[in-house]
Amino acid sequence: MRTIHKFEVAISKETQSIELPEQSNIIHVEYLMPRRTIYMWAEVPADMTAPKTTRQFRVFFTGDGIPNNASYLGTTIDQYLPEAYHVYELKG
């Protein structure tokens, strides 16, 4: 059985480590205006004792260079600022 959980991704050019259950699948990325931050939703095993792994994520701004080891997850837009945020997972 699976479920969906929400994880915060800081708006920063720094690489972020987020601990997720193994076999998690990122399914959606969105900027939430009331919190002024980015969240991603992941489909995860419903078993709360499932092993976890630390994964690396980074937010890129439009025009930033994106490394070859980055895998695209989604783009979200701040409706009040002229900013788009592109969320990638960094592999290896």
Side-chain angles (χ1 to χ4, degrees):
M1 183 177 294
R2 298 170 294 182
T3 187
I4 297 175
H5 288 181
K6 176 175 71 172
F7 300 88
E8 184 175 348
V9 181
I11 298 172
S12 167
K13 292 190 176 193
E14 300 298 319
T15 300
Q16 301 169 56
S17 298
I18 299 175
E19 191 174 74
L20 299 169
E22 290 180 1
Q23 301 179 10
S24 295
N25 182 33
I26 308 301
I27 57 172
H28 185 69
V29 175
E30 188 170 333
Y31 180 84
L32 292 183
M33 185 55 61
R35 300 296 301 255
R36 299 192 61 83
T37 195
I38 298 169
Y39 285 95
M40 62 183 179
W41 283 260
E43 188 176 72
V44 302
D47 178 6
M48 297 303 287
T49 64
K52 295 187 178 183
T53 186
T54 301
R55 293 167 59 176
Q56 306 296 313
F57 299 92
R58 171 137 180 239
V59 175
F60 291 91
F61 292 70
T62 301
D64 285 349
I66 299 167
N68 291 333
N69 69 329
S71 178
Y72 178 78
L73 296 173
T75 295
T76 188
I77 298 170
D78 182 335
Q79 297 296 319
Y80 293 108
L81 297 174
E83 294 293 343
Y85 307 109
H86 314 284
V87 180
Y88 282 76
E89 182 170 4
L90 303 177
K91 304 284 186 168

